[in-house]
Amino acid sequence: MYRFQITNREIPILTLLKKFPEGLTMKNMQFKLDDEIKAEFDKQEMWSMLIDDRSGNVLWSYRLPKEIPVQYSLSDVAAFSRYYLKDYPVSTWEHADGLLVVGSPRNSFWKSAYMVPYSEFNILQGFVIIVILCDLLVLFLFYLYIDRRSLIAVSNILSGIQSLASGKLIDLNEKGPFSDVANQLNKTSDLLKRRTTAQENWLLGISHDIRTPLTVILGYAESIETNPSLPNDVQQKASLIKYQSIALRDLVNDLNLITSLEDSVKLKPIHKVQPLIFGRDILAQFLNSGIPDTFPIKLSFDESLESIKVSADIHLLQRAINNVLYNCIKHNPGGCNITFKISNEKEYVLFCVSDDGKGMTSEEITTLKTRSKYLSNSNLFNQKKHGFGLYIVQQIVKIHAGNTDFKRNQMGGLDVVIAIPKTCNSSQQRNSHNI
Amino acid sequence: MRRRSIIFPIIITFVRMSGNRTDFLRDKKILLVDDEPEVLDMIESLLRDEGFSSVTRATTTKESLEQCRLHQPDLAILDVMLPDGDGFSLFKEIRKSLDFPILFLTARDQPDDLLEGLGLGADDYMVKPFLPRELILRIYAILRRSYKADDPLIVLNGCTVDVGRAEAYRNGEIFPLTAKEVKILITLYNSANRIVTIDSICNSVWGDNRYGYENSLMAHICRIREKIEENASSPSVLITVKGLGYKLNISQ
């Protein structure tokens, strides 16, 4: 240990000096210095002497330079202990036999004695406190920076989790703190996406496989139904097959549509639609599809609608209104009067389908209004009796930022009101494609 | 109203009126393309029952192109998914050399497919399964639209309209029609027996800027009725569907 310390030129002097008083011992009235210390003294060209406390005479010396006196007064001692002795930097040590002085070569050390007024020392204390405070401030700012980064990362992750919970897909930045969590969340999102795609593909595949046989069934059923050379009851049975096939077809169509509606991010109302022209078109197509005479349909509209437009996805909104119209027919097989009313009300255009059929009970209406997601609903099979039709209507209207309302009317039938917000940007209206 | 009485055109009219005016449409050659033989059988029997005499069929893209070259059909009904390609590519291939109306019949019901089909310039698009009646009506509509020049006569109940000459013949009398009246009649005839909305009639007669033409349309319809109806005050051929549009009844 000691050996190691003296090999270094910087540290050893002090260590050496500390060891020195014990290293100089009196044996047989002769002072004797450790060989090790001697070697180090030689190496560093240091010298030493022991001054007698009482007489001021040098009792012992080692490598003492010639110009160094051998007799000292108290004032000599006071002078060299603070400064230099004949320009040699010296240190003093207390020894059992006197004052031990160690000198280093000239110009090897710079000695100085500080004396600071107490008032300034107080200022210095204040200064130290300020420095510490500054350090703390820097630390605090550093903490804030780290904290902010973490906060941003955490809020990213939280919003990611929220998006995932509401069924949206996410792609979080995987850098910075919590990158592992972000990575895992992205993986979860990918998994969800793959599941949804698989579900969609499965439904598409199934629906494709059902469509072909249904085409054949529907085709032959209708030709048997309309073949006058066949007995009446055969024709009636064919008619039954036809309508059941149509029900099956509608079910497949509805299932497909529900799947795409649940992923409503993809769907945006992009067309600018003139409600009146749109409404007339729907009704004409509806009537042209061969509605029996037992369902007389009346169209009524506000004249003020001529210059108004709404943003809509034509195919979807048409599907919604068609569903409502077909609903009247489906639930009132004996026939009923249907009114299709298009009206202008504040920020909305209302498409209202009313019938004087059997209507719905208030419980059924409440169930319709309150049900949420269809496919993911654990109560799906209980709700099934209410059909997909009106659920699809609600979903489509939701995509259009509108409202759907169901109520019993004075005739005992059902009113279905679809409210679609008007387009407010007039310049956009002028440039838009007329539909 | 100006009435002319010329014997010669009346004779022609009566000669032409003796046949059913949809006959010439039933002579059109129809190509059916589908990879399912059962579907082909069903549609073919449907068309034959309806009186279409020239129906050919193909189950692949290659076969379809062959048939097109051999028979030059007047209408093709294409399935979208075929074993050796898809209907949309087949459509483009056919269009390179031939130009006849094409109707897509497909089991795909996604809006993108529909837009792709119509975007290519197809005449119509139907999703399987369909009601046979609807397919027949659409085929008639497409044929009537595409081959109206083949036969400019519109035969109505008790009246015949010669679109080329812009004249209506009724009870041995000739009633000249204006250009607008002819356009309105053609529009209605192209969708015969179906309601055509006020908006689409105005659109095809006056173009895109259709505001303010509703009353004008009503006046034209009144004048057309005086020429083609036995009793213009209770029309049986050109029917008004209140608030919606008009319908031209013809017997098929």
Side-chain angles (χ1 to χ4, degrees):
Chain A
M1 186 74 186
Y2 182 64
R3 198 176 284 275
F4 167 76
Q5 282 175 337
I6 58 169
T7 51
N8 186 326
R9 275 187 74 82
E10 306 300 320
I11 310 164
I13 298 166
L14 287 174
T15 327
L16 189 68
L17 292 177
K18 272 180 203 162
K19 281 256 173 192
F20 187 36
E22 288 92 49
L24 183 66
T25 45
M26 171 83 90
K27 259 187 192 165
N28 308 327
M29 294 306 282
Q30 287 283 314
F31 286 101
K32 190 168 172 12
L33 189 61
D34 273 5
D35 289 343
E36 261 178 318
I37 297 176
K38 256 187 197 166
E40 190 59 28
F41 265 67
D42 297 343
K43 200 174 159 195
Q44 297 197 26
E45 295 172 14
M46 284 160 66
W47 53 267
S48 181
M49 59 181 175
L50 184 66
I51 302 167
D52 185 18
D53 270 347
R54 265 160 259 125
S55 61
N57 292 332
V58 172
L59 295 177
W60 166 88
S61 68
Y62 180 70
R63 288 172 54 88
L64 191 70
K66 280 180 194 141
E67 59 270 37
I68 302 297
V70 291
Q71 166 88 56
Y72 296 91
S73 65
L74 272 178
S75 54
D76 290 340
V77 173
F80 73 68
S81 67
R82 284 188 67 183
Y83 299 110
Y84 299 85
L85 176 60
K86 303 279 179 197
D87 291 343
Y88 288 91
V90 288
S91 308
T92 51
W93 239 266
E94 201 183 348
H95 190 266
D97 301 300
L99 183 69
L100 198 55
V101 177
V102 177
S104 299
R106 280 177 174 152
N107 300 328
S108 63
F109 288 95
W110 177 72
K111 279 187 82 175
S112 127
Y114 283 109
M115 197 147 87
V116 180
Y118 209 79
S119 57
E120 274 185 34
F121 185 71
N122 279 344
I123 292 171
L124 197 71
Q125 272 184 328
F127 182 71
V128 168
I129 288 169
I130 287 170
V131 166
I132 289 170
L133 281 179
C134 283
D135 287 352
L136 284 177
L137 185 71
V138 168
L139 270 177
F140 181 67
L141 288 176
F142 190 64
Y143 159 77
L144 272 189
Y145 169 72
I146 300 271
D147 193 47
R148 218 178 102 79
R149 275 188 49 164
S150 314
L151 265 180
I152 289 171
V154 168
S155 74
N156 264 346
I157 282 167
L158 280 181
S159 67
I161 291 174
Q162 272 172 353
S163 299
L164 269 187
S166 61
K168 288 179 201 147
L169 298 178
I170 53 166
D171 183 21
L172 298 177
N173 186 355
E174 287 182 19
K175 282 179 188 159
F178 308 113
S179 58
D180 282 353
V181 183
N183 177 274
Q184 292 301 320
L185 281 176
N186 284 344
K187 276 187 185 162
T188 312
S189 174
D190 275 355
L191 187 72
L192 276 178
K193 191 181 167 187
R194 270 184 276 136
R195 285 247 170 104
T196 317
T197 316
Q199 185 190 343
E200 278 173 15
N201 287 343
W202 184 80
L203 263 174
L204 273 180
I206 287 283
S207 77
H208 176 262
D209 292 350
I210 290 174
R211 278 167 202 280
T212 306
L214 262 186
T215 308
V216 179
I217 294 172
L218 208 50
Y220 286 126
E222 198 182 79
S223 47
I224 297 171
E225 185 199 14
T226 53
N227 187 341
S229 64
L230 292 170
N232 224 347
D233 66 319
V234 174
Q235 285 183 310
Q236 271 172 10
K237 281 172 189 159
S239 170
L240 205 67
I241 295 172
K242 178 180 139 183
Y243 283 106
Q244 292 303 313
S245 310
I246 292 174
L248 211 52
R249 174 192 70 178
D250 293 346
L251 182 72
V252 171
N253 285 346
D254 285 352
L255 269 174
N256 266 351
L257 190 63
I258 282 181
T259 321
S260 54
L261 286 180
E262 298 231 330
D263 186 14
S264 57
V265 191
K266 282 193 233 161
L267 305 159
K268 291 254 158 61
I270 42 159
H271 308 110
K272 297 281 177 290
V273 178
Q274 285 177 289
L276 196 50
I277 295 175
F278 177 65
R280 273 190 192 135
D281 201 38
I282 291 177
L283 210 50
Q285 284 187 34
F286 183 71
L287 289 169
N288 285 337
S289 69
I291 301 304
D293 294 339
T294 43
F295 297 93
I297 301 176
K298 208 177 97 195
L299 170 73
S300 81
F301 53 85
D302 289 353
E303 294 290 342
S304 59
L305 280 167
E306 290 252 317
S307 56
I308 287 167
K309 284 184 180 172
V310 294
S311 295
D313 180 314
I314 303 177
H315 300 294
L316 283 182
L317 197 57
Q318 179 168 6
R319 178 70 185 270
I321 294 172
N322 259 333
N323 273 10
V324 179
L325 289 169
Y326 274 112
N327 226 35
C328 301
I329 290 171
K330 199 167 131 193
H331 293 289
N332 301 294
C336 66
N337 292 300
I338 303 170
T339 310
F340 182 38
K341 189 174 178 224
I342 310 171
S343 50
N344 183 6
E345 202 176 282
K346 290 173 192 161
E347 301 94 63
Y348 290 93
V349 170
L350 307 185
F351 298 91
C352 176
V353 176
S354 316
D355 65 50
D356 57 357
K358 64 174 183 165
M360 273 187 179
T361 63
S362 40
E363 289 84 45
E364 283 174 318
I365 291 177
T366 317
T367 317
L368 273 184
K369 284 182 180 174
T370 51
R371 64 181 169 180
S372 58
K373 289 209 166 191
Y374 210 111
L375 287 183
S376 45
N377 195 323
S378 55
N379 217 7
L380 176 65
F381 289 98
N382 281 339
Q383 297 201 356
K384 179 73 187 75
K385 60 185 175 193
H386 295 298
F388 290 114
L390 290 178
Y391 174 75
I392 287 175
V393 173
Q394 287 168 306
Q395 289 301 107
I396 292 175
V397 173
K398 215 160 100 187
I399 290 168
H400 288 80
N403 308 305
T404 319
D405 196 16
F406 307 94
K407 52 191 176 208
R408 276 182 79 86
N409 58 29
Q410 290 162 340
M411 301 167 285
L414 188 70
D415 273 8
V416 181
V417 186
I418 292 172
I420 304 291
K422 290 175 192 169
T423 312
C424 31
N425 190 341
S426 56
S427 65
Q428 219 177 334
Q429 275 182 25
R430 274 198 298 277
N431 297 333
S432 67
H433 176 64
N434 288 333
I435 288 149
Chain B
M1 184 177 297
R2 196 164 59 95
R3 292 181 182 185
R4 284 189 296 146
S5 194
I6 302 169
I7 295 167
F8 183 60
I10 296 174
I11 295 167
I12 296 177
T13 308
F14 279 112
V15 168
R16 296 179 98 165
M17 272 175 75
S18 56
N20 191 328
R21 296 319 315 156
T22 48
D23 276 356
F24 82 100
L25 294 179
R26 291 180 185 144
D27 293 336
K28 296 291 172 201
K29 288 174 280 181
I30 299 180
L31 170 66
L32 296 178
V33 183
D34 201 302
D35 59 337
E36 303 281 345
E38 294 88 356
V39 175
L40 284 178
D41 287 345
M42 193 274 287
I43 301 176
E44 190 178 341
S45 84
L46 198 70
L47 290 173
R48 292 209 186 274
D49 286 352
E50 190 56 36
F52 288 92
S53 51
S54 177
V55 182
T56 48
R57 43 199 272 178
T59 51
T60 59
T61 309
K62 207 176 136 205
E63 214 181 314
S64 311
L65 291 169
E66 191 100 338
Q67 293 278 3
C68 282
R69 215 179 33 251
L70 282 174
H71 297 104
Q72 303 221 325
D74 299 308
L75 169 79
I77 299 174
L78 304 185
D79 185 17
V80 174
M81 280 188 258
L82 293 169
D84 60 341
D86 69 295
F88 298 138
S89 318
L90 176 59
F91 178 95
K92 288 180 200 157
E93 201 57 41
I94 292 174
R95 274 284 181 274
K96 279 182 190 166
S97 53
L98 296 163
D99 188 20
F100 52 80
I102 287 174
L103 182 149
F104 278 115
L105 204 57
T106 172
R108 279 155 57 163
D109 77 331
Q110 299 299 298
D112 294 349
D113 296 327
L114 184 127
L115 290 179
E116 186 174 357
L118 294 179
L120 285 173
D123 294 77
D124 212 339
Y125 189 106
M126 279 183 84
V127 176
K128 289 179 191 168
F130 49 87
L131 284 174
R133 197 74 241 136
E134 202 182 339
L135 175 68
I136 296 292
L137 281 179
R138 291 204 195 197
I139 290 175
Y140 274 129
I142 295 173
L143 288 176
R144 228 180 271 127
R145 255 199 324 265
S146 312
Y147 299 104
K148 58 183 172 228
D150 291 10
D151 192 310
L153 282 193
I154 299 175
V155 177
L156 304 165
N157 191 16
C159 164
T160 303
V161 176
D162 188 327
V163 174
R165 297 171 74 106
E167 285 171 342
Y169 313 118
R170 183 168 56 83
N171 292 339
E173 280 183 281
I174 297 177
F175 301 87
L177 296 163
T178 65
K180 285 272 183 287
E181 286 165 0
V182 171
K183 264 191 176 173
I184 293 170
L185 274 171
I186 290 174
T187 308
L188 288 167
Y189 177 68
N190 284 343
S191 302
N193 294 331
R194 293 163 75 86
I195 301 167
V196 185
T197 62
I198 297 165
D199 314 291
S200 35
I201 302 173
C202 289
N203 201 11
S204 64
V205 176
W206 283 283
D208 236 3
N209 188 10
R210 63 179 88 87
Y211 280 126
Y213 285 109
E214 267 187 58
N215 292 335
S216 191
L217 175 67
M218 225 187 290
H220 280 289
I221 294 278
C222 280
R223 280 200 291 278
I224 294 172
R225 276 187 185 140
E226 279 168 15
K227 293 170 191 177
I228 64 169
E229 296 273 4
E230 285 292 339
N231 181 0
S233 54
S234 80
S236 66
V237 177
L238 210 175
I239 310 285
T240 303
V241 186
K242 202 165 170 279
L244 265 186
Y246 300 91
K247 184 157 96 171
L248 189 72
N249 284 334
I250 64 167
S251 50
Q252 271 180 357

